Amino acid sequence: MNKKILTAKATLAALACTLCVNTYAQQYPEPEKMTPGMSEYWTPQPKVVTPGDLCTNSAPSDAIVLFDGKDLSAWESVKGGPAQWTVANGAFTVNKPTGDIQTKQKFESFQLHIEWQVPENITGKSQGRGNSGVFLQGMYEIQILDCYNNETYVNGQTGSVYKQTPPLANAMRKPGEWNVYDIIYTAPVFKEDGTYLYNPRVTVIHNGVVLQNNTAILGTTEYIGFPKVVKHGAGPIILQDHGDPSEPISFRNVWIRPL
Ligand code: MG
């Protein structure tokens, strides 16, 4: 190729490039210089919620109160009929052997606050000492147990995802004192075939101490055997009547905020 042709080709290429740049510049002008306000958005504003009194753990203004110290009207027996646990002195107590109780209302994801007390005169050992539990969507048990100087298997301790994930700490108060659970739960999303697209997840805070940190729940919390994945929708909060012979535990100040 002679020199003239090469020069002509180079000139045409340069012209094409210039046109290309000009066209690009016309379609996509130089963006405006960023200001702080450009990366801020102002609507929608989060709803205003009046927080409860942290000294008394009272419910925030938008919570559904599941027990206000007076009656179990928000609950029913899992066996059917009214909840038959005992209400007295602003708390309710497991009434063995009437069985588990559950909320009448069903929930998806939520923030749950529940306080519980192991009686001062508690007896028994390991899993037979103040055993109860909070079942999320009626499927997944967060263990309640008297773990104050009471050794048991770690994935069955207070705050475990029962038989799955041990708690990160033991934050038990001694029998006779009130314990506080704050549980943040994200409901699972299922695939068509009934397996998890997204596992359920749970954060458990016990007396201000994180026991579960956005833990993936693997399936049902079986006493015998491994977790099962069972497709489900919205479900109740179930409180366990464990059936061991130790003295029954009590609950108070229960509220929930669907998320
Ligand atoms: Mg239990």
Side-chain angles (χ1 to χ4, degrees):
M1 201 175 290
N2 70 36
K3 199 173 174 182
K4 276 188 179 174
I5 292 174
L6 281 173
T7 306
K9 279 195 165 179
T11 306
L12 280 170
L15 184 62
C17 189
T18 305
L19 284 170
C20 178
V21 168
N22 284 345
T23 305
Y24 178 84
Q26 280 166 10
Q27 285 181 348
Y28 302 103
E30 190 66 24
E32 199 178 336
K33 192 171 184 304
M34 287 291 286
T35 62
M38 287 177 171
S39 52
E40 299 167 0
Y41 62 96
W42 288 63
T43 58
Q45 289 279 326
K47 65 179 175 179
V48 175
V49 175
T50 306
D53 181 344
L54 291 179
C55 294
T56 59
N57 286 323
S58 63
S61 59
D62 66 341
I64 298 167
V65 175
L66 296 173
F67 180 70
D68 64 359
K70 298 189 181 82
D71 62 61
L72 287 171
S73 56
W75 301 79
E76 61 190 3
S77 169
V78 168
K79 294 176 182 171
Q84 294 182 48
W85 292 11
T86 311
V87 178
N89 304 319
F92 62 96
T93 301
V94 178
N95 181 13
K96 299 181 180 187
T98 61
D100 299 349
I101 64 170
Q102 64 185 8
T103 54
K104 293 176 181 172
Q105 194 168 341
K106 294 179 177 174
F107 304 97
E108 295 282 356
S109 301
F110 55 77
Q111 172 190 355
L112 172 71
H113 177 96
I114 184 165
E115 301 174 22
W116 49 275
Q117 181 195 48
V118 175
E120 204 168 0
N121 60 343
I122 190 76
T123 57
K125 61 180 183 178
S126 187
Q127 294 286 305
R129 184 180 171 94
N131 195 328
S132 182
V134 183
F135 283 78
L136 317 174
Q137 289 197 300
M139 303 292 290
Y140 314 112
E141 182 183 8
I142 301 301
Q143 177 68 304
I144 287 178
L145 189 72
D146 177 23
C147 282
Y148 190 86
N149 293 331
N150 176 35
E151 194 173 9
T152 190
Y153 45 90
V154 293
N155 57 348
Q157 280 192 10
T158 282
S160 60
V161 179
Y162 183 68
K163 286 277 182 100
Q164 292 183 26
T165 309
L168 293 168
N170 181 340
M172 277 298 300
R173 293 202 169 114
K174 63 184 178 186
E177 296 183 2
W178 283 94
N179 289 271
V180 180
Y181 262 177
D182 288 290
I183 298 174
I184 299 106
Y185 172 74
T186 304
V189 177
F190 289 91
K191 297 181 202 168
E192 284 284 318
D193 66 4
T195 59
Y196 293 132
L197 176 62
Y198 302 118
N199 285 62
R201 287 188 168 268
V202 69
T203 293
V204 178
I205 301 171
H206 180 203
N207 299 329
V209 178
V210 174
L211 305 192
Q212 301 289 342
N213 180 13
N214 196 30
T215 302
I217 298 173
L218 306 175
T220 56
T221 46
E222 304 287 333
Y223 174 46
I224 299 171
F226 296 106
K228 295 183 176 70
V229 178
V230 179
K231 194 173 184 181
H232 63 85
I237 305 298
I238 295 179
L239 298 179
Q240 185 182 46
D241 173 359
H242 184 261
D244 70 75
S246 69
E247 293 69 16
I249 76 164
S250 300
F251 299 86
R252 72 178 184 190
N253 193 16
V254 189
W255 50 261
I256 192 166
R257 296 181 62 246
L259 300 174

